[in-house]
Amino acid sequence: MGSGTSTQHHFAFQNAERAFKAAALIQRWYRRYMARLEMRRRCTWSIFQSIEYAGEQDQVKLHGFFSYLMDHFTPSSHNERDFLSRIFTEERFAQDSKMEKCSDYESIEVPDSYRGPRLSFPLLPDHATALVEAFRLKQQLHARYVLNLLYETKKHLVQLPNINRVSTCYSEEITVCGDLHGQLDDLIFIFYKNGLPSPERSYVFNGDFVDRGKDSVEILMILFAFMLVYPKEFHLNRGNHEDHMVNLRYGFTKEVMNKYKIHGKEILRTLKDVFCWLPLATLIDEKVLILHGGVSDITDLELLDKIERCKIVSIMRCNTRQKSEKMEEQRKANQKSSAQGPIPWFLPQSRSLPSSPHRLGPYQAHKSSRSSSIPCGGSLDGRELSQQVRSSVELELERCRQQAGLLVTEEKEEPSCSASETDSDTEELQKPTQEEWRQVVDILWSDPMAQEGCKANTIRGGGCYFGPDVTEQLLQKYNLQFLIRSHECKPEGYEFCHNRKVLTIFSASNYYEVGSNRGAYVKLGPALTPHIVQYQANKATHTLTMRQRISRVEESALRALREKLFAHSSDLLIEFKKRDVDKVGLITLSDWAAAVESVLHLGLPWRMLRSQLVNSSADNMLEYQSWLKNLAKEQLSRENIQSSLLETLYRNRSNLETIFRIIDSDHSGFISLDEFRQTWKLFSSHMNIDVTDDCICDLARSIDFNKDGHIDINEFLEAFRLVEKSCPEGYASECPQATNAEDSGCSSPGAR
Amino acid sequence: MADEKDREEIVVAEFHKKIKEAFEVFDHESTNTVDVREIGTIIRSLGCCPSEGELHDLIAEIEEEEPTGYIRFEKFLPVMTEILLERRYRPIPEDVLLRAFEVLDTAKRGFLTKDELIKYMSEEGEPFSQEEMEEMLSAAIDPESNSVNYKDYISMMVTDEN
């Protein structure tokens, strides 16, 4: 009978054991689930980051191409000269008499119906606060006030040194914010959570206020207003996106022209001036150095203090003094191979992307040494090679000339010097020296790396990668405690590296996609110890579980990746065929991964991503032709366009859009068919894109919807659904459906 | 004989590539090392489902003589390859998982209350950390009933994975 209790015990023990085991099983399963989720999150991040940096590389290459043309092309007619020089004449704008009359805003009338904020100068704190409130309510500041504010901003900036020196004894604390990239919600959140700027509350904004997000204008207005109101407590550093050439590609130019249809051009012109007068760095208590990108092994703060920073208008078009001299030599002498120099990237021989053979991810591939120069801005020494290049360029241009009918027809009243002839002495002095230019580019474009040393930043195309030794060297040389920089998106909004001597702070939350990352800002207390505050300025994400958040972001990344794959269909097919030795139309999944990497060079973990990009086929073999077809089906929007052409356009759509905007130097929104064809021809031949002339002509003609010989930029992009798919609400209405671009002012009420 | 050897070599080569990829996702700075705390994630993402205890044993195997907090790829690769070849730590089939929940659901209601879930997950087996617990609750618990219908929960998680 004792068995009764002992059986009970026995069962109890068994039950307990079973419960224990069951729990352990569930936990084991759950932990695996979470691990896979984490892996997906990281892969997604890799996708976004590698695509982003590849885009930046593209941008630099594009401008390198135009710069090269600029230096080496001898125009044979005024038309040609005009065409090319118009692309590069932005500096001439400064001499434009129109620019002198900055105070033109006074003539702009503000209608009574305008309900937005009205500014008067000198600005009062209330004005600045009112601006924040107005923008939160989605109002738009009238162009007159925009220009007025910009004018006053420039007047203020001119007085500031290159390196702002700030002391903490006046304000209790200093808050440093990183990239905002047009994300107004984040800025408003920061002010809400941390408090508005005041004499007791100092702020430093570390560059990249504009581009990508949809409210860059509003952010600038707020930042400039507070700077004018609290000049001693509110500080701005220049970022690499405070650069009108970069803005052409990354959306700020587009935003301004969309929001300010009449005065947009003027605003952009004025902004160009304002940007180049932004200070380069801020130094707190002589101990903490804040700058946008990073440093290099040649960073010299004393030199940086002295240069005329306004001379560096844009990284993309460095017309340095030395370079002009070299051009002179080249023009006069015959090509002699004297100095050493790398092959310009756009020559057929060197067409492959720079650097790493196996991993060209954003985190990796710091393989090229410093000596391999980045074409943009570097001087191209005379070589035998350039002789060949020159003649091949000329041959191309000859063809284009004939095609475009650009023979000498009319003489214009122009200064007789061509773009590549010597400028006057005063203009010479306007230009920065090579070294000055390098110093600034390093500050704005560099990224830290784990390894020691200093290498060219080939991923971005500007600046360098700097190691912990470079940081240490700099900190010791100038007796500093640590560096604060931005420039790179981080999942947590911040990241320490180099033994906590470098802090990256990034303030644009949900940068790649809703839920992709947090934003952060850092407060420096009395001992200058950093205190980080994180946030995510989107209520929607709070209600989602981690799983759902990751899924959303992942979907977005995969979509972008599939687009990229489609854009390289032809190359992919070639690679697949190479591996299909028996010509059966099948390759292994392992081959698929290798092929894709060899074409895209994104350094992504393809095997991990495979299940989401490829529907598994039998036996682990892939029918690659039908896979490519499926990709195309997703992307193609018009059947009558030759698919290879579309694919080419897709691959180059950012470049295309940028080319458009460069050619359209007066921001009218139109370029002529000829201009388009000529430029595209030059560009594509040097990128070894094989497109027949007929195709181009057909294409150009078919997108000229109203047959007036002009192409409207937005119409062109829309026609191929190349306008950003994830149009923010405001832009969705701005994405024009109107055929007459003149009033494609889709005036939608919730226009932001 | 030779054919089989070839096939095995191909399989091993493919495993090597997979392992390298997974490792590199966590090796941001190309140092061929990863933080030891990430090893569990890497191993699990390669298709394995070890318990915490098994994981600890594994780590002990691949750690340095004097633990540095980092795992080197050279040590990780052969061990992980073995695991994959032997198909160790296989994932848990859906029906087994369901039965585990049913064991905990002594009253056979088809669901577990929030408190019950917390009790089992934080006190039994290899207990969850607070973070893990919170994360599971956020996705599993239906706020209205304050319980988890485990059959639905499993289906949701499984479809999500695929």
Side-chain angles (χ1 to χ4, degrees), chain B residues 95-108:
Chain B
D95 55 327
V96 175
L97 187 59
L98 182 58
R99 263 186 284 147
F101 273 102
E102 284 170 351
V103 164
L104 300 179
D105 178 16
T106 44
K108 308 294 171 231

Side-chain angles (χ1 to χ4, degrees), chain A residues 332-574:
Chain A
K332 291 173 182 166
N334 278 328
Q335 258 61 27
K336 272 189 217 154
S337 148
S338 46
Q340 288 278 313
I343 301 174
W345 58 266
F346 40 75
L347 292 185
Q349 300 97 298
S350 63
R351 196 163 69 87
S352 54
L353 281 171
S355 168
S356 170
H358 56 277
R359 280 199 294 161
L360 198 69
Y363 301 119
Q364 312 105 332
H366 319 302
K367 304 259 160 102
S368 31
S369 66
R370 196 96 210 272
S371 59
S372 77
S373 77
I374 298 160
C376 155
S379 47
L380 296 168
D381 301 344
R383 300 171 90 237
E384 289 154 354
L385 208 46
S386 73
Q387 174 86 38
Q388 286 176 24
V389 171
R390 187 179 204 154
S391 41
S392 80
V393 169
E394 303 234 307
L395 271 170
E396 288 292 341
L397 292 171
E398 190 61 42
R399 266 197 291 149
C400 292
R401 272 175 223 156
Q402 286 164 8
Q403 202 172 23
L406 263 191
L407 300 170
V408 180
T409 43
E410 40 174 297
E411 291 286 310
K412 283 195 185 165
E413 275 165 20
E414 281 282 337
S416 52
C417 44
S418 76
S420 55
E421 279 173 20
T422 3
D423 302 311
S424 65
D425 279 341
T426 36
E427 278 190 49
E428 260 308 289
L429 292 173
Q430 301 278 4
K431 299 175 190 151
T433 63
Q434 184 81 336
E435 207 204 337
E436 288 172 347
W437 183 83
R438 269 263 285 272
Q439 290 279 336
V440 175
V441 169
D442 283 347
I443 298 276
L444 298 183
W445 285 77
S446 301
D447 292 313
M449 65 171 174
Q451 295 103 311
E452 311 226 310
C454 193
K455 295 168 177 165
N457 192 328
T458 47
I459 298 286
R460 291 198 194 257
C464 68
Y465 290 117
F466 61 100
D469 54 330
V470 177
T471 301
E472 191 57 36
Q473 187 192 358
L474 188 102
L475 293 180
Q476 285 202 8
K477 181 172 177 191
Y478 297 107
N479 206 6
L480 304 170
Q481 255 174 37
F482 64 97
L483 289 180
I484 300 181
R485 44 89 65 176
S486 303
H487 198 39
E488 281 180 299
C489 184
K490 298 288 176 193
E492 292 299 314
Y494 76 99
E495 191 174 273
F496 282 101
C497 65
H498 294 188
N499 284 326
R500 289 185 83 89
K501 298 283 177 70
V502 174
L503 167 63
T504 301
I505 195 85
F506 194 86
S507 301
S509 67
N510 304 320
Y511 179 58
Y512 291 121
E513 175 57 74
V514 172
S516 66
N517 65 289
R518 290 172 145 146
Y521 55 86
V522 58
K523 296 160 77 90
L524 299 175
L528 295 181
T529 34
H531 167 64
I532 314 270
V533 177
Q534 296 168 291
Y535 54 87
Q536 206 150 10
N538 187 310
K539 294 197 200 85
T541 51
H542 294 280
T543 59
L544 297 173
T545 62
M546 193 193 311
R547 177 191 132 256
Q548 287 166 318
R549 250 180 286 141
I550 292 179
S551 298
R552 278 183 72 160
V553 185
E554 190 182 36
E555 251 174 61
S556 179
L558 290 172
R559 224 181 303 135
L561 195 52
R562 265 177 284 198
E563 254 182 49
K564 263 223 168 301
L565 285 168
F566 165 70
H568 288 87
S569 298
S570 309
D571 287 339
L572 283 173
L573 186 59
I574 293 172

Side-chain angles (χ1 to χ4, degrees), chain A residues 84-200:
Chain A
L84 271 187
S85 71
R86 231 170 349 103
I87 299 179
F88 300 102
T89 309
E90 320 231 14
E91 264 124 32
R92 309 266 154 117
F93 265 133
Q95 271 81 45
D96 196 355
S97 57
K98 257 185 151 188
M99 256 313 275
E100 303 296 309
K101 296 187 249 154
C102 287
S103 44
D104 252 356
Y105 60 82
E106 278 169 12
S107 55
I108 302 177
E109 292 243 345
V110 182
D112 289 332
S113 55
Y114 171 70
R115 291 266 160 269
R118 290 167 188 261
L119 305 178
S120 61
F121 293 82
L123 273 186
L124 296 171
D126 281 350
H127 287 124
T129 319
L131 269 183
V132 181
E133 189 55 24
F135 293 148
R136 196 180 66 82
L137 298 171
K138 315 265 186 249
Q139 291 171 2
Q140 183 168 307
L141 187 64
H142 195 275
R144 179 211 170 100
Y145 301 120
V146 174
L147 286 165
N148 199 351
L149 179 54
L150 290 178
Y151 175 62
E152 295 293 322
T153 300
K154 187 193 161 182
K155 276 201 315 194
H156 169 77
L157 288 176
V158 168
Q159 304 164 357
L160 298 177
N162 295 342
I163 303 181
N164 257 327
R165 280 163 170 83
V166 173
S167 168
T168 49
C169 43
Y170 299 115
S171 60
E172 287 169 9
E173 62 188 22
I174 294 191
T175 305
V176 183
C177 304
D179 295 27
L180 284 170
H181 281 301
Q183 297 187 190
L184 183 61
D185 287 342
D186 286 304
L187 180 59
I188 292 182
F189 183 87
I190 293 173
F191 284 161
Y192 167 70
K193 178 133 193 194
N194 196 46
L196 289 168
S198 72
E200 293 80 39

Side-chain angles (χ1 to χ4, degrees), chain A residues 36 592 606-616, chain B residues 161-162:
Chain A
R36 295 183 76 188
W592 173 86
W606 293 106
R607 285 167 190 82
M608 308 228 95
L609 298 170
R610 181 183 43 76
S611 56
Q612 282 149 318
L613 294 170
V614 177
N615 289 327
S616 41
Chain B
E161 286 221 294
N162 303 335

